[in-house]
Amino acid sequence: MADESETEGDDRTLPHLLPDDPSLLSWALGSFHAAVLVTVAVAALHWSGTLGDLLSGLNTAVGLVAYAILWGATWFGTRWALGDETLERLAAGDVWFPVRRGMLGGAAVGGGLVIGGGVLAGLAAVVVNPPAVVAVLIFLGVGGLVALAVGAAVGGLFAGLDAVLFGLARRVSADDRAP
Amino acid sequence: MPGLVHLAVRFLHVIGMALLLGGAAVTWDRSRRASDPAELLDAAGRYEWLFWTVTGVMVATGVGNLGVSGVADLSTRWGAVLAVKLLAVLGLLGGSVVRTLAVEDSTGAGSDAVVLRRSYAATTLYLAGLLALAEVLAHG
């Protein structure tokens, strides 16, 4: 974490919005990202009229495990994206730095989930059905690239949304402290 | 076995709402009474940890509940209420990030206590509204 005196921007807010232990922040934002992703997906499916069919074909326990994996991955990606100088740069008014970190973190989460799943499927295929390994490798190549791209886009969007909410929180606090 | 999983999912969803709403109400009350800023910030910080942990569980079990109970079309009253509830959940999530960041920004002294008090009052009332929507979905 950079020395406060070396950081430009709102020096009133900096000491408070840059906690020594940012674990609550990364837990809150990681949980927020996972919850918003799933809620938006559910809402979109409900709007399209396909939610009931999709959920009726999904095992509840499998769905819960999938959510837990997504939650853990987004928390990990968010914690990484918040590291380095992200908060300092955001507080100094540089929005693009956190967006770039968000895109990299999102790509890692998206790519990690798909490629990790593909590797597990590949290992299972080697044991159970060796000819299926080719299909798994194609999935790993194409799916992995798509997941990296989609993850980067989603990560960048979330970083931008976080920056807007970050600014709102600063305004709420500043308004309250105004004489 | 599936019945046990479904029962556990519903149990967690109900308990989760009780923790979110009850925790917000208690933190709101403490923010009105606390004379020690450190004590107030400590209570707020603990609620924020609880809130984000339980909220993750609530979203997961909420989707699980939909899978168990079935989903009516958007053109029906039930489907429309579900759409409103999903939008309300997104509003809760966004507003709560602002609240958590405001807590992180607070020193707990003077007017900061006003931010915390208003934040937890708003969270309590908003969650009560969401609970009412959940009641409509569960019992018509």
Side-chain angles (χ1 to χ4, degrees), chain A:
Chain A
M1 188 175 289
D3 189 317
E4 289 164 18
S5 61
E6 294 173 3
T7 313
E8 295 177 3
D10 184 351
D11 58 357
R12 176 202 65 75
T13 308
L14 278 177
H16 306 305
L17 275 180
L18 302 177
D20 291 333
D21 176 15
S23 51
L24 171 59
L25 205 56
S26 52
W27 180 243
L29 289 177
S31 304
F32 169 67
H33 297 157
V36 167
L37 266 177
V38 170
T39 307
V40 166
V42 168
L45 288 167
H46 184 44
W47 252 266
S48 71
T50 55
L51 180 63
D53 291 340
L54 190 133
L55 287 179
S56 65
L58 183 67
N59 180 285
T60 304
V62 171
L64 292 176
V65 170
Y67 187 87
I69 291 170
L70 174 71
W71 193 0
T74 52
W75 167 70
F76 187 79
T78 302
R79 195 177 65 158
W80 178 84
L82 287 174
D84 209 359
E85 296 180 340
T86 304
L87 291 174
E88 285 91 340
R89 299 283 283 268
L90 180 59
D94 178 3
V95 176
W96 291 112
F97 183 83
V99 168
R100 282 196 300 272
R101 292 277 293 190
M103 290 177 76
L104 284 172
V109 169
L113 287 174
V114 171
I115 293 170
V119 168
L120 287 177
L123 291 174
V126 167
V127 176
V128 179
N129 184 17
V133 170
V134 176
V136 172
L137 286 175
I138 293 171
F139 168 79
L140 265 176
V142 178
L145 283 176
V146 171
L148 284 171
V150 171
V154 172
L157 279 174
F158 270 128
L161 178 61
D162 293 347
V164 169
L165 296 173
F166 186 90
L168 268 175
R170 293 177 76 182
R171 285 187 64 176
V172 166
S173 300
D175 287 349
D176 188 63
R177 289 190 183 111

Side-chain angles (χ1 to χ4, degrees), chain B residues 66-104:
Chain B
L66 288 176
V68 173
S69 62
V71 179
D73 193 76
L74 187 59
S75 60
T76 64
R77 180 175 171 270
W78 193 94
V81 173
L82 174 63
V84 171
K85 190 184 175 195
L86 290 170
L87 290 176
V89 168
L90 286 172
L92 174 73
L93 294 170
S96 294
V97 168
V98 175
R99 186 196 64 234
T100 303
L101 289 169
V103 168
E104 288 278 295

Side-chain angles (χ1 to χ4, degrees), chain B residues 18-42:
Chain B
L19 285 171
L20 288 183
L21 182 54
V26 168
T27 312
W28 177 20
D29 184 56
R30 288 186 79 166
S31 70
R32 292 172 62 237
R33 297 168 187 266
S35 54
D36 179 7
E39 182 193 342
L40 172 55
L41 272 182
D42 185 52

